[in-house]
Amino acid sequence: MAIFLILCLSTGSTHCQVVTHPPTEVFNLKIDPQNLFQEIDHFGASDAWSGQFVGNWPEDKKQTITDLLFSKDMDEQGNPIGIGLSLWRMNLGAASAGQGDGSGIRDPWRRAPSFLNEDGHFDREGQKGQFWLAHTAKEKKVEYLLAFLNSPPVWLTRNGKAFVDSGKQSNLASENQAAFANFMVATLMGLKEEGLAVDYISPVNEPQWDWEDGGQEGTPFWNREIASIVRSLDAKLQESGLSTKIDIAEAGQIEYLYGEHNRPGRANQIREFFEKDSENYIGDLAHLSTAISGHSYFTTSPVHQAVRKRELVANAVQQVPRLKYWMSEYCILGGNEGEISGSGKDLGMTPALYMARVIYHDLVVAQASAWHWWLAISPYDYKDGLVYISKSETDGDMEESKMLWAMGNYSRFIRPGYRRVSATLTDQQMQNKDLLASAYRDPESGNLVIVLVNANNSEAKVSLQVERDGIPEEWAGYLTDKDHDLAFRSILSPEEVLVPASSILTLTTGVP
């Protein structure tokens, strides 16, 4: 049997071309919509640190950037305009930007301003650029807003700076923990009064690292300190009447969630914070999120280790009733066993396919309910951006990356409330790093979404088999490869679907 695929090119043409492919081996993909796994909460990315500048760029350019990140609209040919993020991460700065070179942070773009000044006055102009981006996210129907902090404000730190003198001690004295909670709640109240309600606040970031090199704002924290800060913050939120939930603990690597690894007193955080016999137990606090968050850095290769570590995360989370796991930050860094280097900007498919593999393992193996990329907008020569810009504070150029659209193969179609369902490639004992499939279902509409990642340099043919419900007749496809950016494809025969070489193809029975 030959395989047919209708290609409707995204060049403005209304003509479709039927392409015939010779018969080759077909992979059978069995989908069971009734075999349910985790509920998906959101896909997100961060405004750090470019948001403070890009939010003040010319209107047309910053609208283009936010359309790419937030839009759920389609163009006239049915191609998505953007990747439809469902969560936006807004950095609440520690006011190091106001210190200039005296901040000790070498890169001015990594110094951050603050909405609040030392006397407690809120001014949205303090983080004008970030406010514009967050407000625009809400206007473009991004469902959730999360505010995160890398450091307490400089007037509360031990050394008056936004990074530490020594990684052996946190930069927040215990007597200032209540004031730190006051700072966060006052900022949230000010934002709400300006029409920007914050759904989640993350008070600490990667507390396992020492943060003593002046590369950015940051401080280590020990688990006992995190627990104390969260208790103070929970009490202040209760007093304020805000509904904001607290997200913890942005672990620097996922090993710190389920084991001590190499950071005693700063690790084993699932047990430390959610087991009732722990002295750092905070699982009963009214404003604590039902999720624990960690970062996928330095754990993505080789594949067998990536899988094993994510199995350990999932197992540890499952020991705590109703607890969920959020993968709350990732970009491609070093330490990838020679598979890929973080250095050097690459707008092409190589990092995009690597990213897609990480998303797959985090969702399917670790059973993450959320997945967040690091820099939404990057000025750096590094594999850390969805959109890249020139390093200019007032205006500049921008470029889309294939990582943007690869994330969109997930984020645009898998909406909050969808459930992951069983997806099994029956021709393989287990899915390998070169052909991956995962599936998701909207419990309300019944809409199915399948994401196929083909990292092979040859095309793959997949036969869809939907258990129990039978296979839907009509599917839409959205392709990201070297020539296409989430481009619409009509699927003529869902029983034999062509997945091009080095591509990501999302299939859906209905576009949300």
Side-chain angles (χ1 to χ4, degrees):
M1 175 185 291
I3 295 173
F4 300 92
L5 184 67
I6 295 181
L7 302 182
C8 300
L9 302 180
S10 56
T11 59
S13 170
T14 59
H15 298 288
C16 297
Q17 177 185 6
V18 179
V19 180
T20 305
H21 297 274
T24 59
E25 180 184 5
V26 176
F27 292 98
N28 295 313
L29 176 60
K30 289 188 177 180
I31 308 295
D32 186 349
Q34 307 304 319
N35 189 3
L36 302 175
F37 297 95
Q38 80 271 28
E39 180 178 342
I40 301 300
D41 291 329
H42 31 67
F43 290 86
S46 164
D47 70 357
W49 292 274
S50 303
Q52 62 185 305
F53 304 118
V54 172
N56 299 314
W57 274 24
E59 190 71 20
D60 59 337
K61 291 185 178 180
K62 61 186 184 181
Q63 286 289 354
T64 297
I65 291 172
T66 54
D67 276 345
L68 289 171
L69 295 170
F70 304 145
S71 178
K72 302 182 185 74
D73 295 336
M74 302 288 189
D75 66 18
E76 293 180 356
Q77 288 74 45
N79 306 305
I81 291 172
I83 68 170
L85 293 178
S86 44
L87 178 139
W88 184 240
R89 300 178 64 89
M90 177 174 62
N91 179 216
L92 299 186
S96 62
Q99 297 177 315
D101 290 343
S103 69
I105 297 174
R106 297 179 296 277
D107 183 353
W109 281 57
R110 295 192 176 194
R111 304 167 192 163
S114 175
F115 284 112
L116 214 67
N117 61 23
E118 188 169 356
D119 65 11
H121 175 69
F122 178 90
D123 184 1
R124 79 180 198 182
E125 294 294 305
Q127 292 193 249
K128 179 181 178 181
Q130 290 97 326
F131 183 90
W132 185 89
L133 285 168
H135 194 270
T136 302
K138 288 287 187 179
E139 288 181 338
K140 295 182 186 294
K141 310 301 183 185
V142 175
E143 286 87 343
Y144 298 102
L145 176 62
L146 182 148
F148 71 97
L149 298 95
N150 292 318
S151 166
V154 293
W155 57 85
L156 292 179
T157 60
R158 297 180 193 269
N159 62 1
K161 296 183 178 181
F163 66 98
V164 297
D165 294 327
S166 170
K168 296 180 180 179
Q169 184 181 54
S170 78
N171 212 8
L172 183 70
S174 58
E175 60 266 24
N176 283 338
Q177 289 179 0
F180 183 34
N182 287 336
F183 167 83
M184 288 185 277
V185 172
T187 303
L188 296 176
M189 290 290 290
L191 289 167
K192 184 177 181 181
E193 290 171 3
E194 293 285 349
L196 202 57
V198 176
D199 301 288
Y200 303 100
I201 186 164
S202 177
V204 302
N205 176 65
E206 298 185 341
Q208 292 80 21
W209 307 146
D210 291 341
W211 299 115
E212 59 186 15
D213 67 349
Q216 66 166 81
E217 294 185 346
T219 176
F221 279 115
W222 275 253
N223 288 337
R224 66 181 182 277
E225 294 175 301
I226 296 171
S228 181
I229 290 167
V230 171
R231 292 184 187 114
S232 293
L233 178 55
D234 180 78
K236 293 302 297 183
L237 287 169
Q238 287 280 74
E239 292 175 14
S240 72
L242 291 169
S243 60
T244 306
K245 294 293 186 181
I246 304 167
D247 169 39
I248 59 168
E250 305 271 12
Q253 290 182 200
I254 59 177
E255 293 99 327
Y256 299 126
L257 294 175
Y258 58 79
E260 185 175 276
H261 199 40
N262 53 10
R263 291 294 190 274
R266 291 190 267 178
N268 207 9
Q269 291 184 313
I270 292 173
R271 169 169 174 72
E272 286 282 304
F273 298 136
F274 290 98
E275 292 291 337
K276 292 183 179 180
D277 62 351
S278 167
E279 63 180 15
N280 295 318
Y281 175 69
I282 49 178
D284 58 348
L285 297 179
H287 283 266
L288 192 70
S289 167
T290 56
I292 190 165
S293 59
H295 300 173
S296 277
Y297 298 123
F298 310 116
T299 61
T300 59
S301 61
V303 172
H304 72 277
Q305 289 188 15
V307 169
R308 179 56 182 156
K309 290 176 180 180
R310 282 154 182 77
E311 289 173 341
L312 291 170
V313 169
N315 181 66
V317 169
Q318 289 167 5
Q319 304 311 305
V320 181
R322 296 181 297 280
L323 185 64
K324 299 184 290 186
Y325 167 55
W326 289 357
M327 201 306 294
S328 56
E329 185 180 312
Y330 179 73
C331 70
I332 299 173
L333 298 181
N336 297 311
E337 301 289 332
E339 292 181 349
I340 192 169
S341 170
S343 298
K345 179 173 68 174
D346 185 342
L347 303 177
M349 283 304 297
T350 297
L353 289 165
Y354 194 88
M355 169 209 252
R357 190 183 90 185
V358 174
I359 297 176
Y360 169 86
H361 284 134
D362 285 334
L363 296 183
V364 174
V365 183
Q367 300 191 46
S369 297
W371 202 91
H372 304 161
W373 183 255
W374 175 217
L375 300 184
I377 310 163
S378 172
Y380 297 111
D381 185 22
Y382 210 85
K383 296 178 184 66
D384 59 0
L386 300 179
V387 177
Y388 283 88
I389 59 168
S390 50
K391 202 171 185 181
S392 171
E393 296 184 7
T394 57
D395 194 0
D397 298 321
M398 58 148 295
E399 298 174 288
E400 304 166 21
S401 74
K402 292 294 182 180
M403 290 187 290
L404 170 78
W405 299 109
M407 186 168 180
N409 277 94
Y410 290 90
S411 62
R412 174 60 187 83
F413 303 100
I414 306 166
R415 305 310 306 172
Y418 277 42
R419 294 285 298 273
R420 187 172 67 83
V421 300
S422 175
T424 307
L425 283 167
T426 57
D427 294 87
Q428 300 169 297
Q429 281 191 328
M430 61 180 293
Q431 299 191 59
N432 61 32
K433 69 177 183 179
D434 294 325
L435 182 60
L436 305 170
S438 58
Y440 310 84
R441 182 176 185 266
D442 179 6
E444 294 186 4
S445 68
N447 179 40
L448 281 174
V449 175
I450 300 170
V451 184
L452 299 164
V453 181
N454 181 17
N456 281 294
N457 57 12
S458 59
E459 64 190 26
K461 297 182 177 75
V462 176
S463 174
L464 302 183
Q465 302 171 16
V466 180
E467 301 292 307
R468 308 189 206 197
D469 296 344
I471 188 165
E473 293 182 0
E474 295 185 6
W475 294 77
Y478 297 87
L479 176 68
T480 298
D481 64 7
K482 65 182 180 63
D483 298 317
H484 302 95
D485 299 326
L486 216 58
F488 171 70
R489 293 287 181 271
S490 290
I491 303 301
L492 181 63
S493 173
E495 295 179 354
E496 291 187 343
V497 176
L498 171 68
V499 187
S502 301
S503 75
I504 308 159
L505 179 65
T506 296
L507 307 176
T508 178
T509 58
V511 180

